[in-house]
Amino acid sequence: MSNSYTNNSGSRRQKLNSRLKHIQQQEEKNKKISKTMLRGALAIAPKHKGSLEDLKANLQTAMELEHSTIPPYLCALYSIKEGKNLMAAEIVKSVVIEEMLHMVMVANLINSVGGTPIIGKTKGKPFIPTYPTHLPGNVDKDLIINLTSLTKKQVGVFCKIEHPGDEEREVKVQLRVNDGKTEYASIGAFYEAVMEQIETLEAEAQQKGKTIFNGKTPQVTPEHYYGAGGSIINVKNIEDARAVIDEIVDQGEGSFGSIFAEPYKEGKEEYLWFGADVEEYAHYFRFKEVLHGRFYKPTDSAHRDSPNKGLPTGEKINIDWNEVYIINDNPKMKDYPKDTEVYQKMYDFNKTYTRLLENINTGCNGKPEVLREGIVIMFDLKYKAQELMKIPGINGLGAGPSFEYVD
């Protein structure tokens, strides 16, 4: 089995998609919770369904959702000491690259329907995540996300961020939704609702001989994007929109909906997600490998009621949880006087972070060629973050990067 997380993931995704179709067909026949009841909790609220402007707003929320995961993942990655925990670092890095890809592809979606993606504090509705935070879009309200070092606890949070929807979470959401607000049990459920809205609006437009995919702003193409982790998809029609959302969900949780919906049966192929020809696992499973310090074997099952309990049982990953810089959770510039070294270095880091956001924002708003400049900015960001992690801050712990927007 290949444990490289930098190779092309096409063969893996093809295999996952094939299995996914089978699971979806089975779930339609065997769901324990009725489809009507589920949609009451998971679908976009009725007031959103008929409006293209609401779709643009929901897609902006999707981009903010992707954005909100990047600083915590980067913070954990940067906390790994130089030359230590190399495989864990490679795994976390691979996820970060794909989250940035997702953010850019959602921007393509926004542009395709005539919207304007907003990344960072720009004209229009400003957004930059402030930690601790909940996931945007009313996704899994029980989950609180912090900026902190790579620890077992934090990797457990990462698993919860990327967790596929399952019946227990869906029922919990249904019981809690009594204030008229739509809540989603998982990121995949949120995207499913967005896709339903796209399909509804496009069907209405097609009946009038029109389409919602009439945006003119140049989109980001593979030649412009500086990352790996998959191919940029240009969105020109509803098939492209589906491909974008399938890509995002497949890479994140590995399933559009629950992978645990049916009782476990020995030898049932759809619960064996780790075949030898599969090069990259979804983020959820990659984080489980880090958390448990083992790779998945080709014969491991993803089902939690399987003999391996859905856990990896393969080759060990050497992880020393002591070989990381331990920082104060959720650092802020305001925690330090302006004349201190920590404040100045934190400000310098945040200027670089702001420059990166502005670069991505410009690239996603009609000037995709500037995204190449982001490579240098990302390297600079890493060095500045690790400088901060080595400097004592509050309580003697590392000061750490705060990922704040500065003018």
Side-chain angles (χ1 to χ4, degrees):
M1 181 176 105
S2 170
N3 289 321
S4 170
Y5 287 86
T6 57
N7 294 335
N8 186 284
S9 59
S11 63
R12 169 176 233 159
R13 192 172 302 110
Q14 184 178 16
K15 185 171 183 176
L16 289 180
N17 283 337
S18 176
R19 289 177 177 168
L20 175 60
K21 288 180 181 178
H22 178 73
I23 291 175
Q24 287 174 318
Q25 291 171 356
Q26 291 299 315
E27 286 181 351
E28 287 301 314
K29 298 178 181 178
N30 301 303
K31 276 184 179 177
K32 296 177 181 178
I33 303 173
S34 73
K35 192 172 183 181
T36 301
M37 186 177 178
L38 265 178
R39 286 190 173 182
L42 300 183
I44 288 285
K47 64 180 179 181
H48 289 163
K49 278 196 171 181
S51 167
L52 181 59
E53 291 306 309
D54 283 327
L55 171 61
K56 293 174 185 177
N58 291 334
L59 288 172
Q60 174 64 34
T61 298
M63 194 165 59
E64 294 169 5
L65 181 56
E66 300 297 337
H67 183 180
S68 67
T69 68
I70 293 172
Y73 293 168
L74 280 177
C75 194
L77 174 63
Y78 294 157
S79 73
I80 299 173
K81 293 181 178 179
E82 295 87 338
K84 305 296 182 181
N85 295 319
L86 297 179
M87 182 53 70
E90 185 68 19
I91 292 173
V92 177
K93 179 182 175 183
S94 72
V95 174
V96 171
I97 290 172
E98 289 179 0
E99 292 295 352
M100 296 187 75
L101 173 77
H102 297 170
M103 189 166 68
V104 172
M105 287 203 296
V106 175
N108 277 356
L109 256 177
I110 295 173
N111 280 322
S112 75
V113 295
T116 302
I118 301 170
I119 301 168
K121 188 179 179 181
T122 60
K123 292 180 180 179
K125 175 189 172 187
F127 170 80
I128 187 168
T130 301
Y131 301 90
T133 190
H134 293 283
L135 289 172
N138 221 17
V139 173
D140 194 358
K141 289 175 64 177
D142 294 328
L143 185 59
I144 299 175
I145 305 170
N146 297 291
L147 283 178
T148 192
S149 309
L150 184 80
T151 63
K152 276 193 171 183
K153 180 179 179 180
Q154 183 71 337
V155 177
V157 171
F158 294 168
C159 290
K160 291 179 181 178
I161 291 172
E162 305 287 357
H163 195 294
D166 61 23
E167 288 185 3
E168 288 182 7
R169 297 173 89 184
E170 289 163 355
V171 169
K172 192 173 183 181
V173 164
Q174 290 173 21
L175 294 175
R176 188 163 55 205
V177 176
N178 55 14
D179 58 359
K181 293 183 179 179
T182 305
E183 184 180 337
Y184 302 93
S186 67
I187 293 174
F190 174 85
Y191 273 110
E192 183 177 11
V194 170
M195 191 64 231
E196 287 180 2
Q197 188 180 28
I198 291 172
E199 289 172 344
T200 299
L201 292 172
E202 177 64 2
E204 291 174 355
Q206 289 286 339
Q207 288 177 354
K208 301 174 183 177
K210 299 180 180 179
T211 179
I212 63 172
F213 299 99
N214 52 18
K216 304 300 182 184
T217 303
Q219 297 179 30
V220 180
T221 65
E223 67 180 292
H224 300 123
Y225 186 65
Y226 55 82
S231 298
I232 286 285
I233 299 172
N234 283 137
V235 183
K236 299 178 182 178
N237 50 49
I238 195 165
E239 287 77 19
D240 295 336
R242 287 194 191 99
V244 165
I245 291 180
D246 284 349
E247 175 94 350
I248 291 172
V249 177
D250 285 351
Q251 285 189 341
E253 60 186 48
S255 168
F256 213 152
S258 174
I259 62 171
F260 306 127
E262 300 175 42
Y264 177 75
K265 292 183 180 179
E266 184 69 33
K268 205 168 188 179
E269 184 187 1
E270 57 262 33
Y271 292 126
L272 297 176
W273 288 65
F274 310 105
D277 61 334
V278 179
E279 294 175 357
E280 277 189 357
Y281 305 152
H283 300 172
Y284 173 66
F285 298 109
R286 288 184 231 176
F287 283 138
K288 287 184 76 172
E289 288 183 323
V290 175
L291 182 63
H292 296 282
R294 286 187 180 275
F295 292 111
Y296 277 99
K297 292 193 302 187
T299 55
D300 281 340
S301 171
H303 200 293
R304 61 186 172 193
D305 293 331
S306 66
N308 63 289
K309 306 298 182 185
L311 303 178
T313 66
E315 180 185 350
K316 285 187 176 181
I317 300 174
N318 293 322
I319 299 178
D320 187 341
W321 298 101
N322 294 314
E323 291 293 345
V324 299
Y325 299 110
I326 302 300
I327 69 167
N328 286 287
D329 292 355
N330 308 311
K332 300 283 190 300
M333 289 192 298
K334 67 180 183 181
D335 296 335
Y336 302 93
K338 290 186 177 181
D339 59 352
T340 62
E341 179 187 21
V342 173
Y343 180 92
Q344 292 301 322
K345 287 189 176 295
M346 198 173 285
Y347 179 84
D348 193 26
F349 170 87
N350 288 326
K351 282 292 288 185
T352 305
Y353 177 52
T354 299
R355 189 154 56 97
L356 177 64
L357 295 181
E358 290 173 345
N359 171 264
I360 299 172
N361 188 72
T362 300
C364 292
N365 279 280
K367 297 182 178 180
E369 65 278 359
V370 306
L371 289 176
R372 297 190 188 95
E373 300 169 12
I375 300 173
V376 176
I377 302 174
M378 283 295 293
F379 278 114
D380 199 18
L381 197 70
K382 174 183 177 181
Y383 298 139
K384 286 178 166 60
Q386 291 186 326
E387 274 189 342
L388 279 164
M389 290 177 169
K390 296 174 185 177
I391 300 174
I394 299 171
N395 300 322
L397 300 177
S402 60
F403 290 90
E404 297 173 87
Y405 189 97
V406 292
D407 293 316

